[in-house]
């Protein structure tokens, strides 16, 4: 499941021995460009066609009714609602502490002012399909609310039944989102970047997604504001020395690997025996994991255990990979 690289005694250039994720070219890029062009040209019709093709559902409306958001909160379990509200409050508190202040500098004959203003409309992309991510809703929409964004749009792929899961809708309501669009993939990025009959264009797009979403964000970056991280597919490098339980390190690897199938999951240590323990823990835990197929897909393609000479070399490996997590 995991390939092993032993760097003990190696003093050369890490690029000679460590694989790097390939930069997509050709196929995915061309597909994304075709989708974006179609959405820009044909609006809602193109969005519905791609949603039918990729998600297997026919959408009557691209935008979730406000009543559905309110009803979703009542349908979820009370303890789940309480957890979402607590998380939203804590996220808000953190970002409120980060709010910049306006500045004013007075010089003889000159007055300089610097001020910060929120954008009018922002889109928060939330992955879906294989799993639900209410945490992503909170982590993207709550900071936008704190910043003072007037209109917060959450984009999330519909489930197999054509609906957005209740917990995601509830998270959007709690986070202060003004609109939920039940569309995912590159077609969602095209819709909020260019606008359609049902969806007004936004000023900024944030949030993680698969390779097609990440590429779509790169393609529209000249039209709409997009953070430079282009998060996704998910990557993790876990560095540990063996002083914590092997299961802890294994779980950290698995939690990101489950987002598969195009991600990256590495474990790095200078403790050879601990490398064996963590590898065994991963295999045992994955065997019983609900998302076993996704985890195995990621680990078989980009799962690595790297044994180094020292903590310094381990950090050099992590810096070389420069993972998202």
């Amino acid at each position: 499941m995991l390939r092993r690289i032993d760097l003990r005694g190696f003093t050369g250039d890490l690029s000679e021995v460590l694989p790097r994720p390939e930069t997509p070219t050709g196929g995915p890029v061309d597909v994304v460009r075709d989708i974006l062009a179609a959405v820009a040209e044909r609006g809602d019709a193109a969005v519905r066609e791609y949603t039918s093709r990729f998600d297997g559902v026919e959408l009557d409306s691209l935008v979730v009714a406000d009543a559905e958001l309110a009803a979703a909160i009542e349908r979820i379990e009370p303890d789940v609602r309480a957890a979402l509200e607590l998380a939203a409050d804590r996220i808000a508190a953190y970002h409120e502490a980060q709010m910049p202040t306006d500045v004013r500098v007075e010089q003889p004959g000159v007055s300089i002012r610097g001020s910060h203003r929120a954008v009018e409309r922002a889109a928060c992309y939330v992955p879906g399909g294989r799993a639900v991510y209410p945490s992503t809703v909170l982590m993207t929409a709550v900071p936008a609310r704190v910043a003072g964004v007037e209109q917060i749009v959450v984009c999330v792929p519909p489930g197999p039944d054509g609906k957005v899961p209740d917990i995601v809708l509830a998270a959007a309501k709690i986070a202060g989102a003004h609109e939920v669009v039940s569309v995912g993939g590159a077609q969602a990025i095209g819709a909020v970047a260019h606008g359609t009959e049902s969806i007004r264009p936004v000023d900024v797009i944030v949030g993680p997604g698969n390779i097609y979403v990440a590429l779509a964000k790169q393609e529209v970056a000249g039209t709409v504001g997009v953070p430079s991280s282009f998060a996704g597919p998910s990557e993790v490098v876990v560095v540990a020395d063996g002083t914590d339980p092997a299961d802890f390190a294994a779980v950290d690897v698995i939690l990101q690997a489950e987002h598969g199938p195009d991600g990256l999951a590495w474990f790095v240590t200078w403790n050879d025996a601990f490398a064996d323990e963590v590898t065994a823990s991963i295999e045992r835990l994955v065997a019983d994991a609900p998302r076993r197929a996704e985890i195995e897909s990621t680990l078989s393609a980009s799962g690595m255990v790297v044994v180094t000479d020292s903590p310094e070399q381990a950090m050099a490996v992590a810096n070389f990979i420069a993972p998202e997590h």
Side-chain angles (χ1 to χ4, degrees), residues 248-262:
F248 286 13
V251 167
D252 278 343
V253 173
I254 292 170
L255 285 178
Q256 295 304 322
E258 73 173 8
H259 295 304
D262 301 314

Side-chain angles (χ1 to χ4, degrees), residues 8-86:
R8 288 173 295 180
F10 180 78
T11 59
D13 188 337
L14 290 176
S15 64
E16 299 174 3
V17 292
L18 296 182
R20 288 295 303 271
E22 295 182 5
T23 301
T25 57
V29 177
D30 293 340
V31 170
V32 166
R33 287 174 177 168
D34 287 345
I35 293 172
L36 294 176
V39 171
E41 180 180 352
R42 297 191 290 112
D44 284 356
V47 171
R48 284 191 168 90
E49 287 176 17
Y50 287 117
T51 300
S52 175
R53 182 189 306 179
F54 299 134
D55 298 309
V57 297
E58 304 292 335
L59 296 177
D60 294 328
S61 175
L62 303 183
V63 180
V64 178
D66 290 342
E68 272 299 293
L69 272 69
I73 289 186
E74 302 304 323
R75 289 194 292 260
I76 64 174
E77 295 295 327
D79 58 342
V80 174
R81 175 176 179 173
L84 291 173
E85 290 173 340
L86 176 61

Side-chain angles (χ1 to χ4, degrees), residues 19 32 58-59 77 99 102 113 123 138 147 157 184 213 221 298 304 307 310-311 319:
V32 166
E58 304 292 335
L59 296 177
E77 295 295 327
M99 284 292 288
D102 292 351
R113 295 182 182 182
L138 299 180
V213 171
T298 298
M304 297 284 181
V307 181
S310 64
N319 287 337

Side-chain angles (χ1 to χ4, degrees), residues 146-181:
V146 171
V149 175
E150 294 181 15
Q151 299 173 18
I152 303 169
V153 183
V154 171
C155 297
V156 58
D161 60 355
K163 299 180 180 180
V164 176
D166 281 346
I167 192 170
V168 175
L169 294 179
K173 184 68 174 179
I174 290 169
H178 302 91
E179 188 176 312
V180 175
V181 176

Side-chain angles (χ1 to χ4, degrees), residues 48 240 285 291 318:
R48 284 191 168 90
L285 294 170
R291 294 171 57 76

Side-chain angles (χ1 to χ4, degrees), residues 178-309:
H178 302 91
E179 188 176 312
V180 175
V181 176
S182 57
V183 178
Q187 62 270 26
I189 302 302
V192 294
H194 301 300
T196 71
E197 297 90 333
S198 300
I199 304 167
R200 284 182 51 211
V202 301
D203 303 300
V204 173
I205 303 173
V206 299
N210 62 19
I211 186 63
Y212 294 95
V213 171
L215 288 172
K217 288 165 65 179
Q218 287 180 311
E219 289 293 317
V220 302
T223 302
V224 64
V226 179
S228 59
S229 63
F230 298 110
S234 192
E235 303 170 335
V236 65
V237 172
V238 178
V239 181
D241 62 1
T243 55
D244 291 311
D247 279 2
F248 286 13
V251 167
D252 278 343
V253 173
I254 292 170
L255 285 178
Q256 295 304 322
E258 73 173 8
H259 295 304
D262 301 314
L264 175 151
W266 286 35
F267 175 67
V268 185
T269 184
W270 49 99
N271 184 328
D272 186 43
F274 192 53
D276 292 335
E277 291 179 39
V278 172
T279 300
S281 291
I282 290 173
E283 293 178 353
R284 175 174 52 82
L285 294 170
V286 169
D288 295 326
R291 294 171 57 76
R292 178 177 178 177
E294 287 83 0
I295 298 168
E296 290 181 339
S297 174
T298 298
L299 297 183
S300 63
S302 301
M304 297 284 181
V305 173
V306 183
V307 181
T308 65
D309 272 323

